[in-house]
Structure formats: C-alpha cells, structure tokens
Amino acid sequence: MSIKGIRGFKDILPGEIEKWQFAEGEARRLFGLFGFSELRIPLLERTELLSRGIGASSDIVGKEMYTFPDRDGDSLTLRPEATTSIVRAYLEHNLYLKEPVGKYYFIGPMFRYERPQKGRYRQFHQIDAEFLGVQEAEADAEILVMLMRYLTDLGLKKVSLQINSLGCPDCRLPYKAEIQKFLRTKSESLCEDCQRRLDTNPLRVFDCKQATCQALLAAAPVVLDFLCADCRRHFERVKTLLNGLELAYSVNPRMVRGLDYYTRTAFEVVTGELGAQNAVCGGGRYDGLAEEIGGPPIPAIGFAIGMERLVMLLGEESNYSRHPDVFVAALGEEAQRRAFILLQELRDVGVWAEADYGGKSLKSQMRRADKMRSSYVIILGEEELRKGYAVLRDMATKGQEEIAWGEIVRSLKSKVGSEQ
Ligand code: HAM
C-alpha cells in the first residue's frame, strides 16, 4: 500500500495554487502601500516563549501545540501563530531602538493539533500583519482599513468585520470577578470544558460552541460594560475613525479571542459561507505581550488571515488558473525541429509557449491546445515551411492569419504584451 500524507496536513496542487499566489501577491502589494515590510520567522520556537506569549490557559498552549524535546533536551514547538515570534524578533534584534514604529507582515504555515475538518487543519497558513509601537487608536483603524481593503481587493463580498474591546488588565480584573460570580451560579449546567475555564480563563466561555452554554451566556455581563475610562475612550476613538472612513463593522460584545495576550481592541472577520469555521481573520491589540516575554512595554496591534479559508472564498478556479499564451503545433520532422527552437525563442521574450511531442496528428495537437486553454496556436506544417510562413490562430475568435517566419516572435510578443 502506498504511504499517504498526514491527517490535517494537505498538499496544495496546481489548479488551486494560483489562488494562493494571487492572495499572497495582493497582500505583498497592498501591505507595501501601507508601509509594511516582510519579516520571516523560524518554524520552531522555544516552548517557553509561546506558553508565556500566547498564555498557559489558552487552548493553543493547553492542548494544540506540536512540542518535542530537541536532541539536547530543549523543549521546542512548531509555531502555532506568528505574533509572539514577530515580537520576539522585534525585541531580540532591538528593532524598536532603531525605529520606534514597526510594521511587519509574514506569510507562512502554522501548526496546531486541532481536530481536522472543513476549514480546519493541523498545518494551515496565515497572512499575518503586525503594527508595533503605536498605542493610539489610529493604529487600530489603520490596520482594520488595510485588512478590509485587502479582502475587498480580492473580491470578497460576503465577509463582515466584528469588533470589541477587551479592556486592559485593570478593567478586566473586576469583570473577571463578575463573570465568575455569574457563571458559578450556573456551573452545574456548563459543559466540562467551561467548568474548567471558569477558574482559569472565564472569558473563553464565550467561545464555547455548546448550545446549552451559549444559552446561559445570553444574560451574562460583557466586558464592554466594565471598561475603564481610558479603554472606553480608546474604543470610542477607534469607532469614530472607522465611521469617518465609512468602514462597515458591528460591535460584538461577546467576541473574545482565543489567545491570552489581547488588550483593548479585538476583532474578527467572519463569513456565513464556511460553515462552522466561520472566522477568516482574527486579531487585536496586545499592549502587554512585549513585556510578558521580557521586553519593555510596546503597544501593538495586528491580525492573521487564515489562508485556507480565504482561498475557499475566492470562487471559481478558472478565474485564477494560468494558461499558455501560445501552443506550437508542428507537422513533420523538419517542422518539429524548427518548432522546438521557436518554443525557446518565444520563452526568451516572455511568451509562455507550449507544445506536444511525439509527432501526433494536427487534430490531436489542436485538442491539446484547446484543453490547455492556450490563447493562440501556431501551426507549422511542411507547406508552411516551404513557403516561409506559419499560421497563427486566435483561439478566442477562431480567426487565422499567415505570418512570415521571421515575424512570429515579434508579433506574438506584442499580442501577448497588449493583453497583459
Ligand atoms: P487566530 O484567531 O488564532 O489568531 O488565527 C487567525 C486565523 O487563522 C483564524 O481566523 C483562522 O482563519 C485561521 N486559523 C486558525 N486556526 C486554524 C486551523 N486549525 N486551520 C485553518 N485555519 C486556521 C492568531 O493566530 C493571532 N496570532 C492573530 C493576531 C495577529 N493577533 C494579533 N496579531
């Protein structure tokens, strides 16, 4: 029996990869316009960094990390997200001393031991952006504008932005006490997970998918009502800025995030088109993370888009699939020899040229050109060779013209160039 790939780890094949390339290319283009630079982080980090950064009471650290001892006994973990690593790199290389504002993005795979299902994998990919060094609400609004413009540029329509404020440690403390008090009165009806969360991280109860827990939470106090004056002002300012930009959002006071480092603004982009895994993007402010992992206090905000989910929303594959500019169909040995040279000459000037080898019939070669959805076909037979020209067929209009042999490369280059 052949050996298969690992559950939750998927191959991305041609046919689909074009969408990934499109999404990545658009991110690089747009994020560049907002002044973000790429920063690449390693696949592995010290487990201790991630537990401290993401938080021991989070599901990620508690049960989803791929952790193993290195050969010398150090505990290492495959990165389950990028934010903590980017902040580590930012501190480790003293980037904050060189430039007080850091804007970075990273695109790559993450690893979480979750139960695989549609839209949820054990290796998945994120497009991550982090804006460090600015505490003002303008940074929050800017990151949200960049995110939503990106999704719009990709042509996604059925996505919506939900925002919330999770406050700072000062206002979260009284809220935590309040929600614990509320939940304790109902603890008998909570699921096992939520009973555990009640003591460790009561905010996470809001993330529970169980209908009974959700029903109980309808009357629960929400963190928005407990914000201190500064956090309240900050959140108001974020909303004012978004309104000024006419960026659509809704406030979801029950949206909490699964990672412990969040403070103040938190957000998600959700869609109704992906079933249970409806979050395309998650993010928020994490003003305490740099200090948590041993650095000075550095305010920051960022987001990560799940690429698998994003790509699922991109629609028909044919919109992204690549097809050759020209297919060179040759008949007879001498024509095949000349066609082979022509193929390379076309590629030399940037024209994607394809051919079929093995001396097949013209009909069979045309079928192949059609299947590959080539824009043009050059037909080169013995008669054409003798007379010094080739037939150029436009596959969209079905029109044909004769082109002198010496003119083919130049002519195709200009046709293809004007279409791009
Ligand atoms: P997160 O909400 O854990 O946030 O993940 C962000 C996005 O990654 C999710 O909205 C989802 O689209 C995708 N995602 C997460 N887990 C999986 C999975 N198992 N399979 C497929 N897609 C998945 C973070 O990771 C934060 N680091 C975001 C952030 C950046 N906050 C501030 N800066």
Side-chain angles (χ1 to χ4, degrees), residues 82-265:
T83 313
T84 310
S85 303
I86 291 177
V87 176
R88 179 205 43 75
Y90 187 65
L91 298 173
E92 190 170 331
H93 302 287
N94 292 323
L95 298 178
Y96 61 104
L97 296 178
K98 295 173 195 146
E99 166 57 57
V101 176
K103 299 188 202 176
Y104 306 103
Y105 73 86
F106 172 70
I107 303 175
M110 308 294 157
F111 303 85
R112 295 184 195 174
Y113 194 83
E114 292 193 84
R115 200 166 53 78
Q117 55 174 255
K118 185 180 168 215
R120 190 159 76 192
Y121 306 93
R122 289 181 172 168
Q123 175 176 321
F124 61 98
H125 298 71
Q126 287 185 340
I127 297 181
D128 183 285
E130 309 294 349
F131 189 163
L132 299 116
V134 181
Q135 65 174 15
E136 281 74 22
E138 277 75 3
D140 306 45
E142 207 167 286
I143 205 108
L144 287 169
V145 168
M146 182 169 92
L147 167 63
M148 297 315 283
R149 175 155 326 150
Y150 172 64
L151 299 176
T152 314
D153 283 359
L154 291 189
L156 303 196
K157 293 194 182 71
K158 294 182 186 150
V159 288
S160 52
L161 171 65
Q162 298 188 346
I163 63 171
N164 194 12
S165 176
L166 302 178
C168 61
D170 282 351
C171 40
R172 213 169 314 154
L173 216 60
Y175 172 68
K176 208 169 156 181
E178 196 65 24
I179 184 99
Q180 274 172 331
K181 201 164 87 194
F182 172 86
L183 292 172
R184 287 226 166 86
T185 62
K186 331 229 173 278
S187 70
E188 309 259 283
S189 323
L190 290 172
C191 73
E192 234 173 76
D193 270 350
C194 285
Q195 293 196 8
R196 193 172 33 79
R197 287 174 184 140
L198 207 161
D199 293 317
T200 53
N201 193 351
L203 258 77
R204 294 278 295 130
V205 173
F206 283 101
D207 265 353
C208 183
K209 298 271 187 294
Q210 305 276 348
T212 43
C213 296
Q214 279 304 322
L216 285 179
L217 286 168
V222 292
V223 62
L224 263 189
D225 293 332
F226 286 76
L227 296 186
C228 66
D230 278 352
C231 288
R232 192 177 296 276
R233 248 194 314 273
H234 193 273
F235 192 49
E236 286 308 313
R237 177 105 182 116
V238 172
K239 289 191 288 181
T240 305
L241 291 166
L242 295 182
N243 294 341
L245 296 163
E246 294 180 14
L247 192 96
Y249 65 86
S250 58
V251 175
N252 178 357
R254 280 159 217 287
M255 190 248 299
V256 291
R257 302 271 304 126
L259 303 92
D260 290 356
Y261 50 58
Y262 289 112
T263 52
R264 295 193 164 170
T265 314

Side-chain angles (χ1 to χ4, degrees), residues 383-400:
E383 191 191 336
E384 286 84 7
L385 259 190
R386 216 174 30 251
K387 296 189 182 155
Y389 70 88
V391 173
L392 177 68
R393 182 175 167 88
D394 183 325
M395 297 295 274
T397 64
K398 310 283 179 223
Q400 295 200 165

